[in-house]
Amino acid sequence: AAGETTEDILIEAFATVKQACKRLCGTTKEIKWHVMTWNMIPYDVQLLGWIILHKAHIAEMRTWEWKMLVATLPAYLNALTWKWVHVVTVNDYLASRDAAWMGHLYEWLWLTVWVVTKQTGQWTIRREAYAQDITYVENSELWFDYLRDNLTVNRDERTVTARPLHFALIDEVDSILIDEARTPMIISQASGEPTEKYAYYAQLVTLLTPAKGKKKVNKWFLKELLDDVKNPKTTEEEDLSGDYWIDEKTKSVTLSTEGIKKLEQLLKVENIYRDLWYQEIHHIENALKAQAVYSKDKEYIIRDDEVMLVDDHTGRVMPGRRYSEWLHQAIEAKERVTIQRESKTLATITYQHFFKLYEKLAGMTGTAMTEAEEFEKIYSLPVVQVPTHRPTIRVDKNDMVYFNQNAKWKAVVDYISFYHKIWLPILIWTSSIETSELMSTMLTKMALPHTVLNAKYHEQEANIVMNAGKKGSIVVATNMAWRGSAIKLDIDLIWSIAQAY
């Protein structure tokens, strides 16, 4: 208010926040899943992280260096300018947890803080949330609110853009700005196209059979064809018999000559590409793709008679999101749930373009140096590595390779059984919902008590994460909860392990 810049008061702001942390020690605050006792005072390396973030850089900080505490100073300092500060997280759980936990400190410093998640209600509540000094928000919700603001007729109904986009502080910045950078977020509305044909094509493609081999197409395609004529291939890898080929990497399906002929017989047409419209061909290809490439409990789950997508990066359910270009309807027809009408796009933007709209941008993660060049070129964000408070003692062992699945799973169960006997907490990470439930079945047969955390059981997430570090705990999970989450180990358990070794 007196005309000082954030650079002028940076040292005093640092001292203020650190002193507040000291004075808060021992005080408690009740949040929805437990009573939290404040016991955090920033270390010198965390002060270094504060400076890096305030300078609009990316701070690479190792796991358990308490990045959520590091975010408080740049958020506090920039909030003093009466401009909005958005702390962006990768999921609702982290946004809610950090807003509640760090909100204790912000309130002590006379700042207001709120959180925006998928459960946040109508635009009036969201507008109030974004009007606070500091707003914690899950990345896709921030994105959607921006798109909604651009579609609103009344200026007073705007939420995130009611004031200029000033400062975004991104947690797990490599996940948001690199991994998901070019994924477009779309707002759409239903069109009036009938849905009966989806069920018809879903039944039709079940009569087609996949090829055993893989179709090889490259720039030497003509030469390859000539070679095949002169020296026919007979290996299983290159066996092209079947009605279609599957490319799992690109999630695409290609009809073979035999498949086209079979479809022409089933549809009673002479040439499907000449006699059918382009849209009908597209519906057939989507039905085939839904049948052969997209799997239940991997790319999506069924809940309340609805196909709900699962995020590849976080393992979380994405309510309201749908595949475009009739693919989602093809999956609904395959799973025999209510088929919703196709929608048309009203607004779209990517993370890469959206976050460039902010005046100031900073981020933090445990793995940024490998993408340092991309951050510099795309976002003009230098990456600075912050040293750990104490030397790293964790041992990262080499991968174990097994001859087959049976040998692998037997070894995994034996490993879990051994360490459970000495009461060590165990976290078992799986790549899909299906694998997590297989692991759960095996542990149940071994009479090993455990909890499962995947997209089907996301409501229990906070409680499961809170208890994951307790003595004898076994948690089977997809990657939905562990991006940026901190598991607290029992201090008595740590001491007993240290004595044992």
Side-chain angles (χ1 to χ4, degrees), residues 430-491:
T430 60
S431 58
S432 68
I433 298 171
E434 186 180 17
T435 310
S436 68
E437 294 183 341
L438 169 65
M439 189 76 254
S440 175
T441 302
M442 296 174 73
L443 292 175
T444 302
K445 287 181 179 178
M446 295 285 291
L448 293 171
H450 63 280
T451 52
V452 178
L453 179 56
N454 58 37
K456 287 185 174 181
Y457 310 106
H458 67 100
E459 295 89 353
Q460 294 88 23
E461 178 177 353
N463 188 55
I464 293 172
V465 172
M466 184 179 71
N467 294 307
K470 292 189 175 180
K471 188 176 180 180
S473 167
I474 301 177
V475 178
V476 182
T478 58
N479 62 336
M480 62 176 286
W482 314 110
R483 181 88 201 191
S485 298
I487 303 171
K488 280 198 169 186
L489 294 173
D490 286 348
I491 193 66

Side-chain angles (χ1 to χ4, degrees), residues 104-121:
H104 197 25
L105 174 61
Y106 293 129
E107 289 165 8
W108 186 269
L109 294 166
W110 287 21
L111 291 179
T112 58
V113 61
W114 212 321
V115 61
V116 176
T117 66
K118 292 180 178 64
Q119 285 71 46
T120 305

